[in-house]
Amino acid sequence: MALRELASLEKYLGLKKPNKYSTQGDKKVPVLQNNNAPPLVGLVTIACHLVKEAKRPELLGDGAEGRAVVQQWLEYRVTKLDSHTEDTKSILKDLNLYMQDKVYLAGNQLTLADVLMYYGIHSVILDLAVQEKEQYVNVARWFDHIQHHPGVRHHLPPVVVLRNRLYTSRHH
């Protein structure tokens, strides 16, 4: 899965020449074969390298605090979401609480943290019933916003997140 995410990230970043990837170990950790340099190992390491290669530093966060928050969410993605050390519902609950008053995971603009968390949580959101998505309304709002951001959703199908609630039963 990580290899498809990296390929989609390359497209989103507008990188013209696709990189050569492989995986290592049982967990299929991505490896970027770098021409004259040693290989880069790990989703976050490679993703940050691609962002720098594309000259898109704003995706890594603004200022020291912003960069730290982006790194925190990238680490969360790998240690909690990818490693399956926590129950998915627990992750959604934590994320829903965090997103209560936020549009993006880190700061006031889309960052690499949003893109990689979106890629990582896509299959989870896809498998939720509409009623379950409504329990995580802040995650659903964030997810829908990210999936409609131009260029982000390359290899993934769109997900219907929330029912249209123009009218409630009280108004009929």
Side-chain angles (χ1 to χ4, degrees), residues 66-144:
R67 286 188 295 277
V69 173
V70 169
Q71 286 300 315
Q72 173 185 307
W73 280 107
L74 294 174
E75 187 173 324
Y76 184 91
R77 157 69 202 266
V78 173
T79 59
K80 302 278 187 176
L81 195 59
D82 292 354
S83 68
H84 306 291
T85 57
E86 272 192 51
D87 175 45
T88 306
K89 304 287 187 208
S90 171
I91 290 170
L92 287 173
K93 187 177 175 185
D94 290 348
L95 194 54
N96 195 60
L97 187 62
Y98 180 79
M99 293 306 299
Q100 198 168 1
D101 60 350
K102 293 173 182 58
V103 176
Y104 299 104
L105 289 172
N108 297 317
Q109 64 186 23
L110 183 81
T111 64
L112 184 59
D114 293 295
V115 175
L116 288 188
M117 278 296 287
Y118 166 78
Y119 289 159
I121 210 166
H122 184 277
S123 63
V124 172
I125 300 296
L126 187 64
D127 291 343
L128 292 178
V130 173
Q131 295 81 4
E132 290 176 299
K133 291 175 192 161
E134 289 174 352
Q135 290 176 23
Y136 308 107
V137 68
N138 300 318
V139 173
R141 173 186 44 78
W142 166 83
F143 183 90
D144 196 44

